[in-house]
Structure formats: C-alpha cells, structure tokens
C-alpha cells in the first residue's frame, strides 16, 4: 500500500511540473516598456515615415498615405497610393505644402506634391533620377533631393530639377540644408558638406565600416553649428557647422536622433529609444519595443514626440 501511495505521489508531481521547463514550450511574449509620458497608439500598417507639421497635424506613410489632426490618435486615409516600396521620405514646409519622394516596385521614381494639406496631389515623374532617398524644401519653391551619388535642386516647387551627378561615394541617404548655399549630405560611407548650393561637396568625415552597418536615417542641427548624425554604435557630433565631427560611442544601432540643446536629446534604435541629459556622455532607455521595429523619431518640442513602426503601432510622447 505504501508503495502504491508513493508511486501516485511521484506521478502527481511529474504531471504537475510537466511543461514548466520544457525547452520546446513557446516563450512568453515580451511586453513593451514605456516610461512616463510615452503611450502606444494605433498607427498605420506599413508605415516607415512620418512628418508632423505641428503638435496635432501630421502625415504617415502606408498604402495609402494617412493624415491625423489629433496628434496621432486617429488617422484618415488620403488619395495618394504608391506601389511598394512606396513613399521613402517626405517634407512639409507648413500644414498645406508638402513633398513626398516615392518609388514603385518597377523602380520608377516619383515626386508627389500637395498644396492643400493632402486633399489632392500633383505627380512628377523623374526620368533620370534614381535611388532617391531624402527630400527637403527651404520654402515653397526651393528644394533639394539626394539619391545614389547624385544631388538635385529645384527652384519652382519641384516642377523641374537641376542635377549634379557623381558627387558622392556610396549611396546618399539623408541631407540637411541651413539655407540655399550651405548644407550637409550623409552617404553610407561619408559625411559631405557644401557651401555653394550643391554644385560641389567636400568630404569632411569618413564613416568606418564598424559604424555604417546600420543605415543612417536622421540628421539634425539645433543651430548652424551644432548637429548630430546617428550610426551603428553611436552618433557623430559637430560643433562647427559640419566642418569636423567627433564620434560618441553608444552601444547599439543609431537610426534617428533629436536634440533640443547641447545636453538633452533622444537617440532612436531598432528596438528602443534612449535619452541623454549630458550631451551624450550617458544614455538611459525610455522606451523598449521588443516586438516592433522603430524607424523614425520626431519631436516638435520637449513636450511632443512620436516614433513610428512598420507593423502599425505609433508611440507618442506627451509630457505629463
């Protein structure tokens, strides 16, 4: 009898513990970690780019393009639909005037322009412009586009473009212009600077292979002197308008960056957002998204910020 009882107890213990340490059992789903001020909103599936013109009005890519007027809480589909890979970048000078660079699955490069806040769009097809990556307009007429190793300028709201080819080594990915003459372009190999409106560029910083495995998406300046470019394992910082750059080591992949002043700023990584209050000497994690890939970060001021993911969720910061 004692033997039977003992066997029953052993079997009961085995069945109760079965699966607890089973190596083939599905691991628990990791949850997002959001610190104070951050919230998770319903975004637009397939989105990788966004642009908020103010704290309420913004646009987000997807198929089709969507618009919000309540800070990203709700989104309305617009008439602009682009085949895969879709819109790769956009820029608005105000709530009504915007430009979007798009690319179809057949490789056709297009520029889409709106003058009424997305109610309608004008299509401009480029015959000899390839691999377009970034667009910026200084006002409603003068704008710039980079793609592959070429630089393009327009002075008529994007209707026509003047191109200078073969300027960059590698693929030009992103740009920032202070005015019509002075600007910065980042390729996947170097940082370049121009002082003649893009007719020529000087290579001012080589990007070592250890720092370019992750494509840099962002570039930001808080004034004409101080700016940052994110990269793998850190960020590059300039204090003289891009003439020279200093590398700041940060573990992980830097994809986008936003600073408010020389001390306080954010660094976007693939699965997290980091914050610094000492100019990048140290960073703390303020948001972690183990299940979603982050693509772009934007802050309009210290109280309002957003981070977009391709899977749909949009993360918003609202100071409380």
């Amino acid at each position: 009898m004692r033997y039977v009882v003992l066997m029953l107890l052993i079997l009961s213990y085995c069945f109760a513990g079965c699966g607890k340490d089973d190596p083939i059992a599905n691991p628990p789903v990791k949850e997002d970690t959001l610190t104070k001020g951050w919230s998770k909103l319903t975004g637009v599936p397939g989105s990788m780019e966004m642009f908020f013109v103010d704290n309420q009005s913004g646009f987000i890519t997807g198929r089709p393009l969507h618009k919000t007027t309540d800070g990203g809480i709700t989104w309305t589909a617009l008439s602009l639909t682009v085949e895969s890979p879709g819109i790769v970048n956009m820029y608005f000078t105000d709530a009504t005037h915007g430009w979007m660079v798009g690319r179809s699955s057949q490789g056709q490069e297009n520029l889409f322009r709106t003058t009424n806040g997305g109610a309608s769009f004008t299509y401009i097809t480029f015959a000899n412009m390839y691999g377009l990556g970034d667009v910026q307009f200084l006002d409603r007429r003068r704008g710039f586009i980079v793609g592959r190793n070429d630089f393009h300028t327009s002075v008529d709201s994007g209707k026509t473009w003047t191109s200078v080819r073969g300027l960059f080594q590698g693929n030009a990915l992103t740009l920032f212009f202070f005015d019509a003459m002075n600007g910065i372009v980042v390729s996947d190999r170097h940082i370049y600077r121009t002082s003649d409106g893009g007719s020529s560029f000087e290579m001012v910083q080589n990007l070592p292979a250890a720092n370019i495995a992750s494509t840099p998406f962002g570039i930001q300046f808080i004034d004409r002197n101080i700016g940052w470019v994110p990269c793998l394992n850190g960020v590059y910082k300039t204090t003289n308008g891009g003439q020279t750059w200093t590398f700041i080591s940060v573990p992980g992949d830097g994809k986008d960056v936003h600073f408010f002043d020389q001390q306080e700023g954010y660094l976007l990584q693939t699965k997290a957002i980091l914050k610094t209050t000492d100019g990048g000497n140290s960073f703390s994690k303020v948001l972690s998204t183990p299940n979603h890939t982050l693509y772009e970060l934007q802050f309009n001021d210290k109280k309002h910020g957003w981070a977009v993911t391709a899977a749909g969720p949009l993360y918003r910061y609202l100071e409380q």
Side-chain angles (χ1 to χ4, degrees):
M1 184 67 180
R2 290 180 179 178
Y3 176 78
V4 173
V5 173
L6 178 62
M7 289 301 298
L8 289 174
L9 288 173
I10 293 173
L11 290 173
S12 175
Y13 174 81
C14 290
F15 281 117
C18 182
K20 286 186 177 180
D21 298 312
D22 188 351
I24 64 173
N26 292 328
V29 177
K30 295 182 179 180
E31 298 292 334
D32 294 342
T33 301
L34 288 74
T35 58
K36 184 179 180 181
W38 289 95
S39 61
K40 184 177 181 179
L41 306 177
T42 301
V44 178
S47 58
M48 295 176 64
E49 292 289 329
M50 63 178 173
F51 197 102
F52 277 81
V53 296
D54 55 43
N55 295 332
Q56 298 299 317
S57 300
F59 299 82
I60 196 169
T61 59
R63 300 180 183 89
L65 183 72
H66 285 66
K67 180 179 181 178
T68 183
T69 56
D70 57 13
I73 298 175
T74 60
W75 295 91
T76 301
L78 303 178
S79 61
L80 180 59
T81 301
V82 186
E83 297 179 23
S84 178
I87 296 170
V88 296
N89 224 310
M90 71 177 88
Y91 195 90
F92 281 76
T93 55
D94 53 49
T96 57
H97 294 82
W99 296 261
M100 287 129 278
V101 174
R103 189 180 309 146
S104 71
S105 56
Q106 290 75 35
Q108 179 64 59
E109 309 285 347
N110 302 285
L111 179 71
F112 308 91
R113 180 170 62 100
T114 181
T115 58
N116 51 22
S120 62
F121 295 88
T122 300
Y123 294 70
I124 302 170
T125 300
F126 298 127
N128 297 301
M129 295 169 63
Y130 308 101
L132 303 182
D134 199 5
V135 57
Q136 179 190 356
F137 271 76
L138 296 177
D139 50 43
R140 296 179 183 180
R141 296 189 60 81
R142 183 178 292 274
F144 312 97
I145 291 178
V146 290
R148 293 191 180 174
N149 54 9
D150 303 330
F151 179 77
H152 314 280
T153 306
S154 176
V155 292
D156 58 5
S157 303
K159 298 174 185 177
T160 61
W161 293 83
T162 300
S163 301
V164 183
R165 303 188 183 279
L167 290 170
F168 315 112
Q169 295 183 33
N171 293 313
L173 301 169
T174 187
L175 79 163
F176 180 88
F177 268 69
F178 305 98
D179 52 43
M181 303 304 291
N182 298 280
I184 305 291
V185 169
V186 182
S187 77
D188 56 6
R189 298 182 185 179
H190 305 288
I191 301 176
Y192 295 86
R193 182 174 180 267
T194 182
S195 58
D196 58 12
S199 296
S200 64
F201 281 84
E202 174 192 7
M203 193 275 285
V204 292
Q205 178 65 54
N206 178 55
L207 298 178
N211 299 135
I212 61 174
S214 176
T215 302
F217 288 98
I219 179 172
Q220 191 224 354
F221 278 78
I222 59 172
D223 55 36
R224 294 186 70 92
N225 292 311
I226 302 170
W228 294 263
V229 170
C231 63
L232 186 65
N233 297 319
V235 294
Y236 281 92
K237 180 181 179 181
T238 179
T239 57
N240 54 15
Q243 297 180 52
T244 58
W245 296 79
T246 301
F247 179 68
I248 302 173
S249 177
V250 183
D253 58 331
K255 300 178 69 173
D256 208 350
V257 64
H258 188 97
F259 273 76
F260 305 107
D261 51 45
Q262 289 202 54
Q263 299 301 315
E264 184 177 357
Y266 292 89
L267 177 65
L268 182 81
Q269 298 185 329
T270 297
K271 300 286 186 179
I273 297 177
L274 311 181
K275 182 178 181 180
T276 180
T277 56
D278 58 10
N281 292 320
S282 63
F283 283 86
S284 60
K285 188 177 294 186
V286 296
L287 187 145
S288 176
T289 61
N291 303 307
H292 301 293
T293 299
L294 298 166
Y295 280 97
E296 188 175 21
L297 176 71
Q298 180 182 342
F299 274 82
N300 284 349
D301 53 46
K302 289 186 178 183
K303 297 182 179 181
H304 300 85
W306 301 265
V308 67
T309 70
L314 177 73
Y315 296 89
R316 181 176 70 161
Y317 179 78
L318 187 62
E319 185 174 276
Q320 300 175 350

